[in-house]
Amino acid sequence: MDALAGSPLGWLCVGVTTLFGVTVLCTAKRSPAEKTNVLVWSLLPALLGLLCVAMLGAGEGLVVFCAVSLISSVCLGGRVLLPVGEKAVLITGSDTGIGHALAKYLDNLGFVVFAGVLNKDGRGAEELRRTCSQRLSLLQLDITNATQVKEAYRKVSEKVQNTGLWGVVNNAGILGFPADGELLPMSTYRQCMEVNFFGAVEVSKTFLPLLRKSQGRLVNVSSMAGGIPLPRYAAYGASKAALSMFSGVMRQELSKWGIKVAAVHPSGFRTGIQGTSDLWDKQEKELMENLSADTRQDYGEDYLLGLKSYLLHMPAYCSANLSPVLSAVLHALLAKRPHGLYTPGKGAYVLLCIFCYFPLWFYDFFISKMLSTESVPRVLRTSEAESKKL
């Protein structure tokens, strides 16, 4: 250590360490909420680097130290959040679920929130009026209604004026009736695409001029089903996959304007997206009425009627704690270097990795075991019984 302290490389190590430490402390000061994370992610690698210098010698140790400092800086840039200030954010689908919780969360953090709701006189809108600050504005916003989208743009433009809109969170979405893709009526496919994809595209295109002014953020809430194929989600998954691809393309195209785009793929959360029992009855009736005689015969009445039980049991497998999703959206809105894709919730990232990096037969086998149901179409039950007799 004495030889190191008196050598030019030793003094270089001290100088680099000092500069790195000052940078870390300045970053922590600018982002008090992330101070602990900043110090952990930065000072620990710096100490590790100095230890390497002491153990390996000045030359090799300096190389290791510079490497860990670079890695730390990359990680640090992804964790440092910009100040909230008076940043304005539009959230669609704020009546219930993630959008409703996000409107409250961002309002509590000091954002100027424009909460788009399907029903401005509904219970969700009333709760936002009652519990949120004066900064929050409610907008009547059916994202499939071009007139309402334009009117929302006019109202937001009047309020933000020259500062622009910092963020747009395309959260509004519908699930449809989870059933085998063959059974779903075309109206379900069209409705899912209309809300989950075309509506989000319409909102994005309309509000992009305001995002350009602020060099802000576009955040699209997709789904785990938008990144991996899941049984019974043909319509919903296809519409969310389209939204995810749209996000990826827009991320590339809008970077020249300084706009950052992120897609969020939550796993199962209890949001109420499955709807009410009245809606299920209506969707089930529509599904049954559109089936051909052959299809109805092959699947069997008990299998078809059992589809609703899947909806009834869905909440039991979903987490009621939405904080992972809210944290992901906040990071996408405020991080200096936000991720292009977020996968909050249990299993979301693991399943995506299995789908991307393992053989498809393995993924299909894994999903079939994980989501196995006791219900089997009538014809397959009959065929299996006959095989056993033989």
Side-chain angles (χ1 to χ4, degrees), residues 201-228:
V201 173
E202 176 100 30
V203 170
S204 300
K205 284 168 60 64
T206 301
F207 284 88
L208 273 174
L210 296 181
L211 293 184
R212 264 197 296 274
K213 286 184 181 180
S214 63
Q215 293 190 323
R217 309 292 169 87
L218 175 63
V219 182
N220 294 317
V221 180
S222 181
S223 168
M224 183 167 69
I228 59 174

PDB file of all heavy atoms in Angstrom, residues 201-228:
ATOM      1  N   VAL A 201     -53.567   4.057 -29.615  1.00  0.00           N
ATOM      2  CA  VAL A 201     -52.889   4.727 -30.740  1.00  0.00           C
ATOM      3  C   VAL A 201     -53.496   6.104 -30.987  1.00  0.00           C
ATOM      4  O   VAL A 201     -52.779   7.091 -31.202  1.00  0.00           O
ATOM      5  CB  VAL A 201     -52.974   3.861 -32.018  1.00  0.00           C
ATOM      6  CG1 VAL A 201     -52.434   4.626 -33.225  1.00  0.00           C
ATOM      7  CG2 VAL A 201     -52.199   2.558 -31.834  1.00  0.00           C
ATOM      8  N   GLU A 202     -54.821   6.181 -30.928  1.00  0.00           N
ATOM      9  CA  GLU A 202     -55.510   7.465 -31.141  1.00  0.00           C
ATOM     10  C   GLU A 202     -55.083   8.499 -30.091  1.00  0.00           C
ATOM     11  O   GLU A 202     -54.775   9.641 -30.415  1.00  0.00           O
ATOM     12  CB  GLU A 202     -57.021   7.246 -31.068  1.00  0.00           C
ATOM     13  CG  GLU A 202     -57.851   8.518 -31.179  1.00  0.00           C
ATOM     14  CD  GLU A 202     -58.419   8.738 -32.574  1.00  0.00           C
ATOM     15  OE1 GLU A 202     -58.672   7.747 -33.274  1.00  0.00           O
ATOM     16  OE2 GLU A 202     -58.593   9.897 -32.938  1.00  0.00           O
ATOM     17  N   VAL A 203     -55.055   8.084 -28.836  1.00  0.00           N
ATOM     18  CA  VAL A 203     -54.647   8.989 -27.758  1.00  0.00           C
ATOM     19  C   VAL A 203     -53.193   9.415 -27.944  1.00  0.00           C
ATOM     20  O   VAL A 203     -52.844  10.593 -27.819  1.00  0.00           O
ATOM     21  CB  VAL A 203     -54.846   8.316 -26.383  1.00  0.00           C
ATOM     22  CG1 VAL A 203     -54.204   9.148 -25.276  1.00  0.00           C
ATOM     23  CG2 VAL A 203     -56.330   8.125 -26.092  1.00  0.00           C
ATOM     24  N   SER A 204     -52.325   8.460 -28.274  1.00  0.00           N
ATOM     25  CA  SER A 204     -50.905   8.764 -28.460  1.00  0.00           C
ATOM     26  C   SER A 204     -50.702   9.778 -29.575  1.00  0.00           C
ATOM     27  O   SER A 204     -49.992  10.787 -29.405  1.00  0.00           O
ATOM     28  CB  SER A 204     -50.121   7.480 -28.780  1.00  0.00           C
ATOM     29  OG  SER A 204     -50.243   6.541 -27.746  1.00  0.00           O
ATOM     30  N   LYS A 205     -51.305   9.530 -30.723  1.00  0.00           N
ATOM     31  CA  LYS A 205     -51.138  10.427 -31.875  1.00  0.00           C
ATOM     32  C   LYS A 205     -51.688  11.825 -31.582  1.00  0.00           C
ATOM     33  O   LYS A 205     -51.115  12.833 -31.985  1.00  0.00           O
ATOM     34  CB  LYS A 205     -51.834   9.825 -33.112  1.00  0.00           C
ATOM     35  CG  LYS A 205     -51.066   8.677 -33.748  1.00  0.00           C
ATOM     36  CD  LYS A 205     -51.896   7.938 -34.769  1.00  0.00           C
ATOM     37  CE  LYS A 205     -52.370   8.815 -35.925  1.00  0.00           C
ATOM     38  NZ  LYS A 205     -51.253   9.335 -36.738  1.00  0.00           N
ATOM     39  N   THR A 206     -52.792  11.875 -30.853  1.00  0.00           N
ATOM     40  CA  THR A 206     -53.415  13.161 -30.548  1.00  0.00           C
ATOM     41  C   THR A 206     -52.549  14.004 -29.616  1.00  0.00           C
ATOM     42  O   THR A 206     -52.415  15.221 -29.804  1.00  0.00           O
ATOM     43  CB  THR A 206     -54.808  12.947 -29.929  1.00  0.00           C
ATOM     44  OG1 THR A 206     -55.627  12.202 -30.844  1.00  0.00           O
ATOM     45  CG2 THR A 206     -55.479  14.282 -29.616  1.00  0.00           C
ATOM     46  N   PHE A 207     -51.950  13.369 -28.603  1.00  0.00           N
ATOM     47  CA  PHE A 207     -51.237  14.116 -27.567  1.00  0.00           C
ATOM     48  C   PHE A 207     -49.733  14.244 -27.812  1.00  0.00           C
ATOM     49  O   PHE A 207     -49.044  14.919 -27.036  1.00  0.00           O
ATOM     50  CB  PHE A 207     -51.490  13.477 -26.197  1.00  0.00           C
ATOM     51  CG  PHE A 207     -52.847  13.792 -25.638  1.00  0.00           C
ATOM     52  CD1 PHE A 207     -53.942  12.990 -25.936  1.00  0.00           C
ATOM     53  CD2 PHE A 207     -53.046  14.907 -24.834  1.00  0.00           C
ATOM     54  CE1 PHE A 207     -55.207  13.284 -25.438  1.00  0.00           C
ATOM     55  CE2 PHE A 207     -54.300  15.204 -24.329  1.00  0.00           C
ATOM     56  CZ  PHE A 207     -55.387  14.397 -24.627  1.00  0.00           C
ATOM     57  N   LEU A 208     -49.215  13.625 -28.859  1.00  0.00           N
ATOM     58  CA  LEU A 208     -47.774  13.708 -29.125  1.00  0.00           C
ATOM     59  C   LEU A 208     -47.254  15.133 -29.327  1.00  0.00           C
ATOM     60  O   LEU A 208     -46.129  15.437 -28.906  1.00  0.00           O
ATOM     61  CB  LEU A 208     -47.408  12.830 -30.322  1.00  0.00           C
ATOM     62  CG  LEU A 208     -47.095  11.373 -29.969  1.00  0.00           C
ATOM     63  CD1 LEU A 208     -46.876  10.536 -31.217  1.00  0.00           C
ATOM     64  CD2 LEU A 208     -45.878  11.289 -29.064  1.00  0.00           C
ATOM     65  N   PRO A 209     -48.014  16.036 -29.948  1.00  0.00           N
ATOM     66  CA  PRO A 209     -47.503  17.419 -30.047  1.00  0.00           C
ATOM     67  C   PRO A 209     -47.180  18.026 -28.680  1.00  0.00           C
ATOM     68  O   PRO A 209     -46.214  18.787 -28.561  1.00  0.00           O
ATOM     69  CB  PRO A 209     -48.653  18.166 -30.732  1.00  0.00           C
ATOM     70  CG  PRO A 209     -49.328  17.119 -31.554  1.00  0.00           C
ATOM     71  CD  PRO A 209     -49.251  15.869 -30.733  1.00  0.00           C
ATOM     72  N   LEU A 210     -47.969  17.691 -27.650  1.00  0.00           N
ATOM     73  CA  LEU A 210     -47.698  18.214 -26.310  1.00  0.00           C
ATOM     74  C   LEU A 210     -46.471  17.533 -25.687  1.00  0.00           C
ATOM     75  O   LEU A 210     -45.724  18.162 -24.934  1.00  0.00           O
ATOM     76  CB  LEU A 210     -48.921  18.017 -25.404  1.00  0.00           C
ATOM     77  CG  LEU A 210     -50.193  18.774 -25.816  1.00  0.00           C
ATOM     78  CD1 LEU A 210     -51.312  18.504 -24.817  1.00  0.00           C
ATOM     79  CD2 LEU A 210     -49.925  20.271 -25.922  1.00  0.00           C
ATOM     80  N   LEU A 211     -46.282  16.247 -25.995  1.00  0.00           N
ATOM     81  CA  LEU A 211     -45.106  15.546 -25.482  1.00  0.00           C
ATOM     82  C   LEU A 211     -43.830  16.059 -26.140  1.00  0.00           C
ATOM     83  O   LEU A 211     -42.763  16.091 -25.517  1.00  0.00           O
ATOM     84  CB  LEU A 211     -45.231  14.034 -25.716  1.00  0.00           C
ATOM     85  CG  LEU A 211     -46.321  13.285 -24.941  1.00  0.00           C
ATOM     86  CD1 LEU A 211     -46.229  11.783 -25.225  1.00  0.00           C
ATOM     87  CD2 LEU A 211     -46.212  13.533 -23.445  1.00  0.00           C
ATOM     88  N   ARG A 212     -43.930  16.476 -27.394  1.00  0.00           N
ATOM     89  CA  ARG A 212     -42.748  17.019 -28.070  1.00  0.00           C
ATOM     90  C   ARG A 212     -42.273  18.306 -27.403  1.00  0.00           C
ATOM     91  O   ARG A 212     -41.083  18.565 -27.304  1.00  0.00           O
ATOM     92  CB  ARG A 212     -43.051  17.273 -29.546  1.00  0.00           C
ATOM     93  CG  ARG A 212     -42.616  16.142 -30.449  1.00  0.00           C
ATOM     94  CD  ARG A 212     -42.535  16.570 -31.898  1.00  0.00           C
ATOM     95  NE  ARG A 212     -43.831  16.942 -32.423  1.00  0.00           N
ATOM     96  CZ  ARG A 212     -44.692  16.078 -32.932  1.00  0.00           C
ATOM     97  NH1 ARG A 212     -44.383  14.797 -32.957  1.00  0.00           N
ATOM     98  NH2 ARG A 212     -45.859  16.465 -33.401  1.00  0.00           N
ATOM     99  N   LYS A 213     -43.219  19.123 -26.949  1.00  0.00           N
ATOM    100  CA  LYS A 213     -42.852  20.386 -26.288  1.00  0.00           C
ATOM    101  C   LYS A 213     -42.043  20.140 -25.019  1.00  0.00           C
ATOM    102  O   LYS A 213     -41.118  20.879 -24.711  1.00  0.00           O
ATOM    103  CB  LYS A 213     -44.113  21.183 -25.926  1.00  0.00           C
ATOM    104  CG  LYS A 213     -44.788  21.842 -27.104  1.00  0.00           C
ATOM    105  CD  LYS A 213     -45.971  22.682 -26.631  1.00  0.00           C
ATOM    106  CE  LYS A 213     -46.679  23.346 -27.797  1.00  0.00           C
ATOM    107  NZ  LYS A 213     -47.836  24.157 -27.329  1.00  0.00           N
ATOM    108  N   SER A 214     -42.405  19.102 -24.292  1.00  0.00           N
ATOM    109  CA  SER A 214     -41.750  18.842 -23.008  1.00  0.00           C
ATOM    110  C   SER A 214     -40.653  17.799 -23.107  1.00  0.00           C
ATOM    111  O   SER A 214     -39.932  17.565 -22.139  1.00  0.00           O
ATOM    112  CB  SER A 214     -42.791  18.359 -21.989  1.00  0.00           C
ATOM    113  OG  SER A 214     -43.360  17.130 -22.417  1.00  0.00           O
ATOM    114  N   GLN A 215     -40.534  17.144 -24.300  1.00  0.00           N
ATOM    115  CA  GLN A 215     -39.634  15.994 -24.453  1.00  0.00           C
ATOM    116  C   GLN A 215     -39.934  14.980 -23.338  1.00  0.00           C
ATOM    117  O   GLN A 215     -39.061  14.544 -22.603  1.00  0.00           O
ATOM    118  CB  GLN A 215     -38.164  16.427 -24.414  1.00  0.00           C
ATOM    119  CG  GLN A 215     -37.762  17.280 -25.597  1.00  0.00           C
ATOM    120  CD  GLN A 215     -36.272  17.506 -25.670  1.00  0.00           C
ATOM    121  OE1 GLN A 215     -35.602  17.670 -24.652  1.00  0.00           O
ATOM    122  NE2 GLN A 215     -35.735  17.513 -26.871  1.00  0.00           N
ATOM    123  N   GLY A 216     -41.223  14.623 -23.272  1.00  0.00           N
ATOM    124  CA  GLY A 216     -41.719  13.820 -22.162  1.00  0.00           C
ATOM    125  C   GLY A 216     -41.736  12.333 -22.403  1.00  0.00           C
ATOM    126  O   GLY A 216     -40.898  11.786 -23.126  1.00  0.00           O
ATOM    127  N   ARG A 217     -42.729  11.671 -21.831  1.00  0.00           N
ATOM    128  CA  ARG A 217     -42.773  10.212 -21.798  1.00  0.00           C
ATOM    129  C   ARG A 217     -44.125   9.683 -22.289  1.00  0.00           C
ATOM    130  O   ARG A 217     -45.176  10.241 -21.954  1.00  0.00           O
ATOM    131  CB  ARG A 217     -42.538   9.705 -20.365  1.00  0.00           C
ATOM    132  CG  ARG A 217     -41.286  10.288 -19.683  1.00  0.00           C
ATOM    133  CD  ARG A 217     -40.024   9.784 -20.341  1.00  0.00           C
ATOM    134  NE  ARG A 217     -38.825  10.480 -19.912  1.00  0.00           N
ATOM    135  CZ  ARG A 217     -38.103  10.150 -18.849  1.00  0.00           C
ATOM    136  NH1 ARG A 217     -38.480   9.164 -18.064  1.00  0.00           N
ATOM    137  NH2 ARG A 217     -36.995  10.803 -18.583  1.00  0.00           N
ATOM    138  N   LEU A 218     -44.063   8.587 -23.029  1.00  0.00           N
ATOM    139  CA  LEU A 218     -45.250   7.844 -23.435  1.00  0.00           C
ATOM    140  C   LEU A 218     -45.147   6.457 -22.814  1.00  0.00           C
ATOM    141  O   LEU A 218     -44.184   5.728 -23.074  1.00  0.00           O
ATOM    142  CB  LEU A 218     -45.327   7.734 -24.961  1.00  0.00           C
ATOM    143  CG  LEU A 218     -46.458   6.879 -25.546  1.00  0.00           C
ATOM    144  CD1 LEU A 218     -47.824   7.454 -25.187  1.00  0.00           C
ATOM    145  CD2 LEU A 218     -46.318   6.757 -27.064  1.00  0.00           C
ATOM    146  N   VAL A 219     -46.114   6.115 -21.972  1.00  0.00           N
ATOM    147  CA  VAL A 219     -46.094   4.837 -21.256  1.00  0.00           C
ATOM    148  C   VAL A 219     -47.350   4.056 -21.630  1.00  0.00           C
ATOM    149  O   VAL A 219     -48.472   4.525 -21.413  1.00  0.00           O
ATOM    150  CB  VAL A 219     -46.041   5.046 -19.724  1.00  0.00           C
ATOM    151  CG1 VAL A 219     -45.971   3.694 -19.011  1.00  0.00           C
ATOM    152  CG2 VAL A 219     -44.856   5.923 -19.340  1.00  0.00           C
ATOM    153  N   ASN A 220     -47.160   2.867 -22.186  1.00  0.00           N
ATOM    154  CA  ASN A 220     -48.282   2.031 -22.593  1.00  0.00           C
ATOM    155  C   ASN A 220     -48.387   0.812 -21.682  1.00  0.00           C
ATOM    156  O   ASN A 220     -47.452   0.007 -21.604  1.00  0.00           O
ATOM    157  CB  ASN A 220     -48.112   1.579 -24.046  1.00  0.00           C
ATOM    158  CG  ASN A 220     -48.187   2.733 -25.014  1.00  0.00           C
ATOM    159  OD1 ASN A 220     -49.047   3.606 -24.882  1.00  0.00           O
ATOM    160  ND2 ASN A 220     -47.297   2.767 -25.991  1.00  0.00           N
ATOM    161  N   VAL A 221     -49.504   0.701 -20.978  1.00  0.00           N
ATOM    162  CA  VAL A 221     -49.727  -0.434 -20.088  1.00  0.00           C
ATOM    163  C   VAL A 221     -50.280  -1.584 -20.921  1.00  0.00           C
ATOM    164  O   VAL A 221     -51.463  -1.608 -21.271  1.00  0.00           O
ATOM    165  CB  VAL A 221     -50.680  -0.083 -18.935  1.00  0.00           C
ATOM    166  CG1 VAL A 221     -50.880  -1.298 -18.021  1.00  0.00           C
ATOM    167  CG2 VAL A 221     -50.140   1.099 -18.136  1.00  0.00           C
ATOM    168  N   SER A 222     -49.411  -2.522 -21.244  1.00  0.00           N
ATOM    169  CA  SER A 222     -49.798  -3.704 -22.004  1.00  0.00           C
ATOM    170  C   SER A 222     -50.159  -4.813 -21.020  1.00  0.00           C
ATOM    171  O   SER A 222     -50.881  -4.582 -20.056  1.00  0.00           O
ATOM    172  CB  SER A 222     -48.659  -4.112 -22.942  1.00  0.00           C
ATOM    173  OG  SER A 222     -49.010  -5.245 -23.709  1.00  0.00           O
ATOM    174  N   SER A 223     -49.621  -5.990 -21.206  1.00  0.00           N
ATOM    175  CA  SER A 223     -49.939  -7.115 -20.327  1.00  0.00           C
ATOM    176  C   SER A 223     -48.925  -8.216 -20.533  1.00  0.00           C
ATOM    177  O   SER A 223     -48.259  -8.281 -21.581  1.00  0.00           O
ATOM    178  CB  SER A 223     -51.336  -7.643 -20.638  1.00  0.00           C
ATOM    179  OG  SER A 223     -51.575  -8.888 -20.015  1.00  0.00           O
ATOM    180  N   MET A 224     -48.797  -9.091 -19.545  1.00  0.00           N
ATOM    181  CA  MET A 224     -47.980 -10.289 -19.717  1.00  0.00           C
ATOM    182  C   MET A 224     -48.478 -11.074 -20.927  1.00  0.00           C
ATOM    183  O   MET A 224     -47.694 -11.673 -21.666  1.00  0.00           O
ATOM    184  CB  MET A 224     -48.052 -11.137 -18.447  1.00  0.00           C
ATOM    185  CG  MET A 224     -47.180 -12.374 -18.464  1.00  0.00           C
ATOM    186  SD  MET A 224     -47.015 -13.137 -16.828  1.00  0.00           S
ATOM    187  CE  MET A 224     -48.682 -13.764 -16.604  1.00  0.00           C
ATOM    188  N   ALA A 225     -49.800 -11.045 -21.159  1.00  0.00           N
ATOM    189  CA  ALA A 225     -50.384 -11.751 -22.299  1.00  0.00           C
ATOM    190  C   ALA A 225     -50.034 -11.092 -23.621  1.00  0.00           C
ATOM    191  O   ALA A 225     -50.272 -11.673 -24.682  1.00  0.00           O
ATOM    192  CB  ALA A 225     -51.907 -11.826 -22.141  1.00  0.00           C
ATOM    193  N   GLY A 226     -49.476  -9.877 -23.571  1.00  0.00           N
ATOM    194  CA  GLY A 226     -49.048  -9.198 -24.786  1.00  0.00           C
ATOM    195  C   GLY A 226     -47.633  -9.562 -25.182  1.00  0.00           C
ATOM    196  O   GLY A 226     -47.179  -9.202 -26.274  1.00  0.00           O
ATOM    197  N   GLY A 227     -46.919 -10.282 -24.304  1.00  0.00           N
ATOM    198  CA  GLY A 227     -45.553 -10.676 -24.603  1.00  0.00           C
ATOM    199  C   GLY A 227     -45.374 -12.164 -24.767  1.00  0.00           C
ATOM    200  O   GLY A 227     -44.418 -12.628 -25.382  1.00  0.00           O
ATOM    201  N   ILE A 228     -46.303 -12.944 -24.223  1.00  0.00           N
ATOM    202  CA  ILE A 228     -46.228 -14.402 -24.319  1.00  0.00           C
ATOM    203  C   ILE A 228     -47.628 -14.940 -24.612  1.00  0.00           C
ATOM    204  O   ILE A 228     -48.623 -14.369 -24.191  1.00  0.00           O
ATOM    205  CB  ILE A 228     -45.690 -15.031 -23.020  1.00  0.00           C
ATOM    206  CG1 ILE A 228     -46.593 -14.663 -21.830  1.00  0.00           C
ATOM    207  CG2 ILE A 228     -44.254 -14.616 -22.760  1.00  0.00           C
ATOM    208  CD1 ILE A 228     -46.215 -15.365 -20.526  1.00  0.00           C
TER     209      ILE A 228
END
